[in-house]
Amino acid sequence: DMDARNETNRLFMNGIRNGEMPAADKEYLARNVEAHTGVSHEEAVKRVDDAEAGIVESEVKAKQVQT
C-alpha cells in the first residue's frame, strides 16, 4: 500500500540524511518485511540492511558523478 511505501522511503531517507538509520527504524522495517513476505526475522533484517547499503552506495556514486 502507498502509505507503507511512503513510510519506508521516509525512514530510509532520514537514515541517509542522518548518516545512519536508528535501530528502532530498522527493526520496524524488518518486522514489516517479515509480516509481508513470511521470511524469518533474520532474513528480514538482512534485507533491510542490504537495502540500506544499496541506497548508501547509490548516494556515494551520485556524489562522485557530481564532482
Side-chain angles (χ1 to χ4, degrees), residues 6-43:
N6 288 338
E7 179 70 3
T8 298
N9 288 338
R10 185 186 68 75
L11 292 174
F12 275 114
M13 295 313 296
N14 283 342
I16 290 170
R17 210 173 297 126
N18 295 324
E20 185 176 352
M21 188 183 304
D25 289 351
K26 285 185 182 186
E27 181 64 20
Y28 171 80
L29 292 171
R31 294 276 179 213
N32 282 332
V33 168
E34 189 177 354
H36 286 94
T37 63
V39 299
S40 69
H41 185 69
E42 292 76 18
E43 177 62 23

